[in-house]
Amino acid sequence: MSPTTMRALRCMTKGQSPEIQEIARPEPAKGELRIKVAACGLNFADLLMVQGTYQDTPPYPFTMGMEVAGIVDALGDGVNGPAVGTPVMVFGGQGGLAEYACYDAARVTPLPDGANMSEAAALQVAYGTSHVALGYKAGLKTGETMLVLGAAGGVGLTAVEIGKLMGAKVIACARGADKLAVAKAAGADHLIDAETDDIREAVRALGGADVVYDPVGGDQFKAAMRACNPEARILTIGYASGEVPQIPANILLVKNLTVMGFYWGGYLAFKPSVITDSLAELVSWHAEKKIKPHVSNSLPLEQATEGMELLRSRKSTGKVVITL
């Protein structure tokens, strides 16, 4: 391979399986820096991008990979730092499943020397989503009861962990004993098996939910809504079930419920300080060992499509990370 080229996982057309290609190594434009990528976290959104159904799918063809950790390799014009050699992480939305990637320097978050790159790559979308959703958006309070659906998944597991840090009583709902054990290890106070338990009745028996964190949708959303206490807040994060729930407004009215749509990446367009401030605090929490990203699978670039299949089949827990 030429010194001016690199390997990258490319999505060429809608619905076509991505493939590794040798392409030109990017040069940082004005205001950008280049990162030598060490690790890139996979997300459910990557699966949607391949199918062209994600709200921020780039024009085809594009290099996949939303969240990156690595070392600053070069600075574009007008960029004073972070300096070359600095470990950093960035949510770029695309481009991370490659040996090098260029990003707006203002969006990059420096990391402490010696930072675990796989954990840093796994931290951004999952922890950032839960941190902003529970704190900034829902205003979760100490002593409240929070129900987390999909509690062993990439974002669900971080909601369990951050909910406990914020002083909530956490009810974790996931499929099967193995996934529930992962949620329990993250700090869940009560466990509900989505395969066998009646979610509505189980939550009611525990006193009802004040906040619902839902990356699943479908029937689980409906059951959770009916288990809410008056004035509860429901965060609709995603639809891993494949079904976008239709919300009966009369139930919202009778119980004084609030349903909050939440798309973490959307804040980059209209209020980026929400994201950058959150990530800075999460880096501090990670350095202080208050949070510990759970990486269930770490795979090389050549196995990136296998990693995506782990997400599709729901065989992973926590995060799947690709290392370079």
Side-chain angles (χ1 to χ4, degrees):
M1 188 164 59
S2 165
T4 61
T5 62
M6 67 176 185
R7 294 178 305 147
L9 187 72
R10 301 279 285 169
C11 193
M12 303 306 294
T13 60
K14 180 178 178 180
Q16 179 182 326
S17 180
E19 58 189 57
I20 295 176
Q21 296 183 345
E22 183 177 343
I23 63 173
R25 183 181 299 182
E27 294 297 328
K30 184 177 181 179
E32 292 184 340
L33 52 72
R34 186 172 66 197
I35 296 172
K36 185 177 185 351
V37 178
C40 180
L42 295 185
N43 294 277
F44 190 76
D46 291 311
L47 306 181
L48 301 180
M49 283 187 185
V50 173
Q51 300 303 320
T53 57
Y54 189 60
Q55 58 265 28
D56 281 339
T57 300
Y60 298 93
F62 64 91
T63 298
M64 302 187 66
M66 302 177 73
E67 53 182 338
V68 171
I71 304 296
V72 176
D73 172 73
L75 304 179
D77 289 343
V79 178
N80 297 319
V84 170
T86 303
V88 295
M89 68 180 191
V90 60
F91 173 76
Q94 61 173 299
L97 286 169
E99 292 173 315
Y100 294 86
C102 293
Y103 298 106
D104 183 340
R107 290 170 61 169
V108 170
T109 301
L111 296 170
D113 289 339
N116 183 307
M117 290 297 182
S118 289
E119 291 187 1
L123 185 152
Q124 297 170 79
V125 173
Y127 279 94
T129 294
S130 295
H131 186 247
V132 177
L134 296 176
Y136 178 84
K137 192 75 172 178
L140 179 67
K141 302 178 182 66
T142 299
E144 288 191 309
T145 297
M146 178 177 69
L147 169 63
V148 181
L149 303 177
V155 292
L157 197 60
T158 65
V160 172
E161 196 173 355
I162 290 176
K164 285 301 296 179
L165 276 173
M166 296 177 70
K169 179 174 79 173
V170 178
I171 305 170
C173 180
R175 293 187 179 276
D178 290 346
K179 290 188 175 182
L180 288 171
V182 172
K184 179 70 174 177
D189 299 290
H190 302 281
L191 307 175
I192 296 175
D193 192 331
E195 290 183 334
T196 58
D197 296 336
D198 183 319
I199 295 174
R200 176 184 180 184
E201 293 306 316
V203 175
R204 281 182 166 180
L206 292 168
D210 302 306
V211 172
V212 175
Y213 184 99
D214 177 25
V216 178
D219 290 338
Q220 291 192 33
F221 176 95
K222 299 170 190 174
M225 182 174 61
R226 286 166 171 79
C228 281
N229 293 325
E231 292 195 322
R233 292 90 73 201
I234 305 172
L235 289 157
T236 175
I237 306 289
Y239 312 107
S241 67
E243 180 186 344
V244 179
Q246 302 304 301
I247 302 169
N250 61 311
I251 295 179
L252 306 185
L253 182 152
V254 171
K255 286 192 171 185
N256 287 290
L257 302 182
T258 301
V259 178
M260 300 176 173
F262 181 76
Y263 168 41
W264 180 77
Y267 281 93
L268 288 171
F270 67 92
K271 196 180 285 188
S273 62
V274 171
I275 300 293
T276 53
D277 290 349
S278 170
L279 289 177
E281 183 166 19
L282 288 170
V283 168
S284 294
W285 282 6
H286 185 238
E288 295 165 9
K289 302 189 185 307
K290 291 181 178 179
I291 56 175
K292 172 72 173 174
H294 176 80
V295 178
S296 64
N297 301 86
S298 182
L299 303 168
L301 183 62
E302 292 78 10
Q303 293 178 256
T305 55
E306 295 175 31
M308 293 170 66
E309 183 55 35
L310 288 171
L311 296 184
R312 183 181 291 107
S313 62
R314 302 191 194 183
K315 291 182 179 177
S316 60
T317 56
K319 293 288 290 188
V320 177
V321 171
I322 304 302
T323 57
L324 293 100

